[in-house]
Amino acid sequence: MSLAQPNHAWLEALRVQRERRARALAGWQAGIRKSVDLPGLASRAPALGTPEPFLAARDANALPLALALARELGDVAAARAESRALEALAGGQVSVELELLALPEALRELPICVDRRRRALLAKAVDDALRAIEHHQAEALERRLESRTRLELSSENALNPLLGFELGALAADAERILRETNDAAHDLLEFRFRRAGVDAGRGGAGHDFELALQLLDLREHLSPHRSLELARELARGVGLDPRGIAVDAEARPGRVPGLVVARFGANELAVVAAPLGTPADGETLARGVGEAIHLALLDGDDAVLIDPSLAKSTGWILARPLVEPAWHRRVLRNPSRPAHELAQAFALRSLFALRLAAARFLVARELANQGPTESAKDHARSRINSATGVDGPATGCFALDVIDCASELRALLLSERLHRALIEHADEDWWRNPHASELLRAHASETSLNRDSIVGSAPELAKLLSGFIARAAN
């Protein structure tokens, strides 16, 4: 990418700003309970909080830099509201019967709690506590939308050229994903609920736990404590080196569940993941390691300007062997039946990850058009509940950003193309073929301007969806 000299200065300021924010937020998520001064961080690079760098980059046709600066302007505008939301979250308390838990501890317990009564109480109390941060999330969303209006990016027609794809076309795909996988997904989910003895209509506990439940009785075959070892083994199997990537998945007081993959400096990458409580956390960790490896293959400028969906797609590919019975048999030495059970469970999780990503994108798109209104929130809850099959809360929908949610959905779709290309390049058991790294390195390369030549053209959506369903139903 050729940049004029002033743009180089803005790019350097943007990189420093992103690294500082990443360090602060990753530390906060890991349970290091010092104040996250996002407004203070924003003030260290005042030029990045104005439209001028964006306009200059756009006029120079440096669209990746223009988009990165537009996102930074939105983050700067939302910084104060986000800081207040984090403070409220860190200080939250949850009362469950006679106990008083800090909110992060309750959030950590919820995914691994198997006592139905306590779980229902926890889910309700957590939902009630999280409502306290909704107005901060709504304010942050309003600030981001205002910043796009200042940049004349309030319409999708203006935003599409920066993104490099059509949001309207992606929305049509998302609607089709939800429509054409609906019956099969809910039939499969109902079947797994019955097998696990779960009443999906009680407790409103959220789909992540419900899908993980089917893995709890298979812990002896996939120990969550081996997750980091297995994530690194997945990387080494395809010829990628996970060394140099710091991974923090330790349990500690105050830690908030989730996944953060960030660059803290020129040669410093980190994955901060939730503590390993269920076998399903291994999938999250594998995705984080894959995303970090993708970023490690880029130089500093490209890592700042990269389309997030590219690194996320590499993360999904690194977790993909979890849906392969052959991987569980060969790597974990599991007998055929538990290998099949584990693979099917992870395949069902993948199907619902696709449905959730589609629903989240459609919700974020509507929020970008309507703003954070009560009617938008109610519709968001309806969308997400329909996608996941569980009556869960709408809390957190105001935190959804249309660009981020588009990246999540595109990453899942791109990973399917990557998977097809890997099979052609390195056979069905590509996950143990070091030559697979050749394709994955090309995918991450800054010279990969014509991505279709590497991963192939996008398959027909109906065929792609039938693959998701077939793996989950196998």
Side-chain angles (χ1 to χ4, degrees):
M1 179 181 188
S2 175
L3 299 174
Q5 187 61 39
N7 290 11
H8 272 302
W10 289 325
L11 181 57
E12 177 61 24
L14 179 64
R15 180 167 49 245
V16 171
Q17 180 79 358
R18 289 267 180 91
E19 290 167 1
R20 287 171 175 163
R21 181 182 287 116
R23 188 179 296 278
L25 292 177
W28 184 89
Q29 177 142 354
I32 302 171
R33 279 292 169 265
K34 60 182 179 181
S35 175
V36 182
D37 184 15
L38 294 181
L41 284 172
S43 69
R44 296 184 188 182
L48 296 178
T50 66
E52 286 74 17
F54 164 81
L55 296 173
R58 187 176 64 178
D59 291 344
N61 207 32
L63 297 186
L65 177 58
L67 180 60
L69 290 167
R71 295 183 69 170
E72 182 61 27
L73 181 58
D75 288 344
V76 169
R80 197 165 302 280
E82 287 191 325
S83 288
R84 291 197 292 264
L86 290 176
E87 289 171 7
L89 186 60
Q93 300 290 320
V94 176
S95 176
V96 180
E97 294 180 302
L98 301 177
E99 298 180 48
L100 197 64
L101 301 177
L103 185 56
E105 278 66 42
L107 287 169
R108 282 175 50 201
E109 181 185 349
L110 189 54
I112 58 175
C113 176
V114 293
D115 180 271
R116 292 304 306 281
R117 184 169 180 272
R118 179 173 176 80
R119 178 164 181 77
L121 290 169
L122 263 175
K124 183 179 184 307
V126 167
D127 187 28
D128 291 342
L130 288 176
R131 287 197 184 96
I133 68 172
E134 273 196 331
H135 66 286
H136 298 308
Q137 292 176 336
E139 181 187 349
L141 176 61
E142 287 175 340
R143 300 289 84 78
R144 287 196 175 93
L145 295 178
E146 287 172 4
S147 74
R148 288 178 192 161
T149 299
R150 291 174 64 195
L151 301 178
E152 300 180 355
L153 296 176
S154 55
S155 74
E156 290 186 356
N157 287 337
L159 192 55
N160 288 338
L162 293 185
L163 295 173
F165 61 90
E166 299 288 324
L167 287 170
L170 186 64
D173 285 345
E175 294 279 12
R176 188 174 173 189
I177 287 168
L178 293 175
R179 184 174 62 252
E180 296 189 8
T181 63
N182 186 69
D183 291 346
H186 286 83
D187 287 348
L188 287 165
L189 188 60
E190 201 171 303
F191 169 70
R192 301 302 303 201
F193 282 162
R194 288 198 303 269
R195 286 195 59 178
V198 174
D199 177 3
R202 294 178 56 195
H207 81 290
D208 284 338
F209 168 77
E210 305 292 10
L211 293 183
L213 244 187
Q214 60 203 289
L215 298 175
L216 289 179
D217 59 347
L218 294 169
R219 286 189 191 205
E220 61 183 291
H221 302 292
L222 179 57
S223 167
H225 303 295
R226 289 192 62 199
S227 293
L228 178 54
E229 170 196 342
L230 291 173
R232 288 173 172 155
E233 191 170 321
L234 283 163
R236 288 190 293 266
V238 295
L240 297 174
D241 187 357
R243 290 179 300 179
I245 296 172
V247 179
D248 180 359
E250 295 178 5
R252 62 171 64 91
R255 181 164 204 144
V256 178
L259 174 67
V260 175
V261 181
R263 183 184 287 270
F264 295 156
N267 298 304
E268 190 178 1
L269 286 117
V271 177
V272 179
L276 305 176
T278 74
D281 291 328
E283 177 191 69
T284 302
L285 199 56
R287 285 195 289 114
V289 170
E291 189 175 339
I293 287 174
H294 188 115
L295 294 176
L297 294 171
L298 302 170
D299 66 26
D301 289 358
D302 292 316
V304 172
L305 303 179
I306 185 178
D307 173 356
S309 64
L310 302 181
K312 290 179 183 295
S313 68
T314 301
W316 278 109
I317 273 295
L318 217 66
R320 178 59 180 266
L322 291 167
V323 309
E324 305 286 350
W327 183 86
H328 291 279
R329 289 195 300 268
R330 182 180 291 273
V331 176
L332 301 183
R333 301 285 190 259
N334 280 329
S336 291
R337 185 174 183 84
H340 179 86
E341 289 277 345
L342 280 163
Q344 185 187 34
F346 279 111
L348 184 59
R349 287 177 60 82
S350 295
L351 174 61
F352 273 83
L354 179 67
R355 288 179 58 79
L356 181 59
R360 283 164 59 92
F361 168 64
L362 292 171
V363 165
R365 187 172 182 246
E366 290 165 358
L367 288 170
N369 291 327
Q370 301 176 24
T373 64
E374 282 299 312
S375 61
K377 185 177 76 170
D378 291 342
H379 190 52
R381 175 174 180 166
S382 175
R383 280 265 196 194
I384 292 173
N385 288 352
S386 176
T388 60
V390 174
D391 185 20
T395 308
C397 74
F398 291 153
L400 300 179
D401 179 80
V402 66
I403 298 176
D404 292 338
C405 292
S407 295
E408 290 177 12
L409 179 56
R410 292 179 73 236
L412 272 160
L413 298 176
L414 180 56
S415 71
E416 289 301 299
R417 296 168 63 187
L418 263 175
H419 181 249
R420 182 180 60 180
L422 282 166
I423 290 176
E424 294 174 356
H425 181 76
D427 298 325
E428 291 284 343
D429 58 350
W430 59 268
W431 37 265
R432 67 186 189 98
N433 189 336
H435 291 297
S437 68
E438 299 164 2
L439 187 141
L440 293 174
R441 288 175 187 276
H443 172 55
S445 171
E446 61 177 313
T447 61
S448 305
L449 299 178
N450 184 6
R451 201 154 304 276
D452 286 356
S453 66
I454 295 169
V455 300
S457 59
E460 183 184 349
L461 189 60
K463 185 175 181 180
L464 183 149
L465 298 179
S466 67
F468 269 93
I469 294 170
R471 288 190 295 273
N474 182 22

